[in-house]
Amino acid sequence: MDLFEYQGKQFFARYGIPVSPGDVATTVDEAVAVAERIADYPVVVKAQVQVGGRGKAGGIKLADDADSVREHATNILGMDIKGHTVERIWIEHASDIAEEYYASFTLDRSAKQHLGMLSAQGGVEIEAVAESDPDAIAKIWIDPVDGPTEDVAREWVAAAKLNPDATEGAVDILLKLYAAYVEGDADLVEINPLILTPEGKVHALDAKVTLDANAGFRHDLSEYEATQERDVREQAAHEKGLQYVGLDGSVGVIANGAGLAMSTVDIINQVGGQPANFLDIGGGADADVMAGALEVITGDPAVKSIFINIFGGITKGDEVANGIAIALDRVDIGVPIVIRLDGTNAAEGREILAEKAASVISKPTMLEAAEAAVELAR
Ligand code: GDP
Ligand code: MN
């Protein structure tokens, strides 16, 4: 679950990480009121969208007075930044910057450890630094049982060659950032830039936080849930409780099980097509689930054909077929459907389809079904 910068900063603040005083606004008047409340110009007006490079896109502006806040807020609210419409802005006291650093923690699954990255080259995309000057990123791997000690953090800061004036502030923030990462059940915490001010203070100027929604039972995520950015298709699927991820292609995918759904996406690509989505209807797919899945998929105007890929284990072929037949009665599908139905009661399932859902094209293998669906999408 991705947080907006302002949520990330509020999250950081709870762990004692220094951020600039500020607040979020959804209207121009609110923005001016926030700036007046901060009462410490200049302030910075920042577009809240979950995409980087906001500055370059004109979504981050300094303002010296209320009129200038009004002007920038007017321009930034409603702005489109890489396909994201700005609905909220964050206004905070502007900082003086001497140096910009980068700091993050994330999970390195293959190492089974947490990975910390720190660089004296912040303020730019870390991928660009990794490309142009990989040695400029100091990495440490942290055993999740032990966590980092202060000494480890100090050595890490030295390895990253931060300005010595930043050492104490950086060590303090990195330890707090690690605490936020672990205690907050985050998958990623990133500060870019982490700044050193001319007065020698270190603090977070940006916040990128991804929380693990599976740990939601330990936290109150309702506020973040309410502001999740989803495309219309994902929103519709989410409301139906479907495991759906929107993609850019033209072949709609319905499969039972995440692994099979992934393979289905792969095989569509393999035969030269493009999947419109990932959708796992799980085990025991009944008519309601199937109808819901078909509704979501046909709601996507880019979909030109649908590939239903079912391997019945616990799920029985006849039940799936009945589900499809009922779903077809309920939902108006304007595109051809190809099905590969295999496993438990597959033969019975195919008979039911032939009888009650004759428009559905049945193929014996996944490959043949993928080829047919891709051909039909063309
Ligand atoms: P991003 O580009 O979307 O990641 O947005 P950031 O929040 O990282 O801001 C981008 C850049 O804007 C920073 O690297 C800074 O150079 C600049 N910036 C952001 N906030 C301030 C501020 O308070 N004062 C000054 N002088 N520059 C800022
Ligand atoms: Mn940034």
Side-chain angles (χ1 to χ4, degrees):
M1 182 176 286
D2 296 328
L3 307 196
F4 286 97
E5 174 197 3
Y6 74 93
Q7 295 169 328
K9 281 184 168 163
Q10 290 163 348
F11 173 79
F12 283 171
R14 288 209 293 276
Y15 291 90
I17 296 167
V19 293
S20 306
D23 209 343
V24 71
T26 55
T27 67
V28 174
D29 286 341
E30 255 175 54
V32 173
V34 169
E36 290 291 291
R37 209 157 59 225
I38 294 170
D40 193 1
Y41 289 99
V43 295
V44 53
V45 181
K46 305 182 77 176
Q48 297 299 291
V49 282
Q50 292 175 353
V51 60
R54 292 169 297 163
K56 274 189 213 135
I60 298 178
K61 296 284 183 196
L62 293 172
D64 281 322
D65 53 34
D67 284 344
S68 161
V69 171
R70 184 168 292 281
E71 185 191 332
H72 293 313
T74 306
N75 292 335
I76 295 174
L77 278 167
M79 180 184 268
D80 179 279
I81 300 182
K82 300 178 188 168
H84 299 246
T85 307
V86 181
E87 286 169 4
R88 298 173 199 82
I89 45 181
W90 168 260
I91 297 96
E92 70 177 26
H93 171 61
S95 305
D96 286 331
I97 303 175
E99 294 187 6
E100 296 189 290
Y101 307 135
Y102 171 97
S104 70
F105 288 103
T106 187
L107 180 65
D108 182 342
R109 289 172 197 280
S110 52
K112 297 179 184 168
Q113 294 197 318
H114 296 306
L115 168 63
M117 291 197 276
L118 183 64
S119 178
Q121 294 184 26
V124 291
E125 301 230 336
I126 196 65
E127 290 83 0
V129 179
E131 183 101 341
S132 64
D133 193 0
D135 293 341
I137 304 172
K139 297 182 180 177
I140 56 163
W141 280 265
I142 301 155
D143 188 313
V145 175
D146 303 334
T149 61
E150 197 180 314
D151 287 345
V152 164
R154 207 171 289 279
E155 281 166 30
W156 185 26
V157 170
K161 302 194 182 71
L162 304 194
N163 187 318
D165 290 349
T167 303
E168 290 314 311
V171 166
D172 179 57
I173 288 178
L174 290 168
L175 293 173
K176 287 173 175 162
L177 186 62
Y178 183 82
Y181 169 70
V182 172
E183 288 166 32
D185 285 305
D187 288 328
L188 168 75
V189 288
E190 183 187 86
I191 307 177
N192 186 23
L194 175 70
I195 61 159
L196 173 66
T197 69
E199 301 81 44
K201 293 230 160 53
V202 181
H203 86 248
L205 217 59
D206 193 6
K208 189 169 168 188
V209 175
T210 305
L211 300 179
D212 181 355
N214 293 313
F217 67 95
R218 277 201 284 261
H219 309 277
D220 178 13
L221 303 181
S222 53
E223 183 207 335
Y224 308 139
E225 183 63 41
T227 57
Q228 279 302 288
E229 278 194 330
R230 288 196 180 92
D231 76 14
V232 229
R233 300 172 299 168
E234 291 183 352
Q235 185 60 40
H238 181 74
E239 281 161 16
K240 293 183 196 303
L242 295 168
Q243 302 298 322
Y244 175 102
V245 180
L247 302 169
D248 296 330
S250 57
V251 182
V253 171
I254 298 176
N256 66 325
L260 188 60
M262 298 272 263
S263 306
T264 310
V265 163
D266 283 349
I267 203 164
I268 288 168
N269 278 305
Q270 188 190 316
V271 300
Q274 263 143 17
N277 66 279
F278 164 100
L279 201 174
D280 164 23
I281 54 169
D286 62 9
D288 277 340
V289 174
M290 189 54 87
L294 285 168
E295 243 165 44
V296 168
I297 286 188
T298 49
D300 178 353
V303 168
K304 301 290 180 245
S305 72
I306 299 171
F307 178 6
I308 303 180
N309 192 3
I310 304 290
F311 188 89
I314 299 167
T315 310
K316 295 189 177 57
D318 51 333
E319 282 169 21
V320 169
N322 272 321
I324 292 171
I326 295 169
L328 288 186
D329 280 343
R330 270 196 233 161
V331 187
D332 182 27
I333 318 278
V335 297
I337 300 178
V338 181
I339 189 166
R340 173 264 187 157
L341 184 60
D342 215 337
T344 314
N345 295 357
E348 291 88 331
R350 287 194 207 106
E351 259 168 52
I352 293 167
L353 285 175
E355 205 176 300
K356 298 189 196 162
S359 63
V360 175
I361 301 158
S362 191
K363 293 285 177 189
T365 68
M366 192 161 148
L367 184 62
E368 284 162 278
E371 281 167 348
V374 168
E375 188 54 40
L376 286 164
R378 287 206 187 98

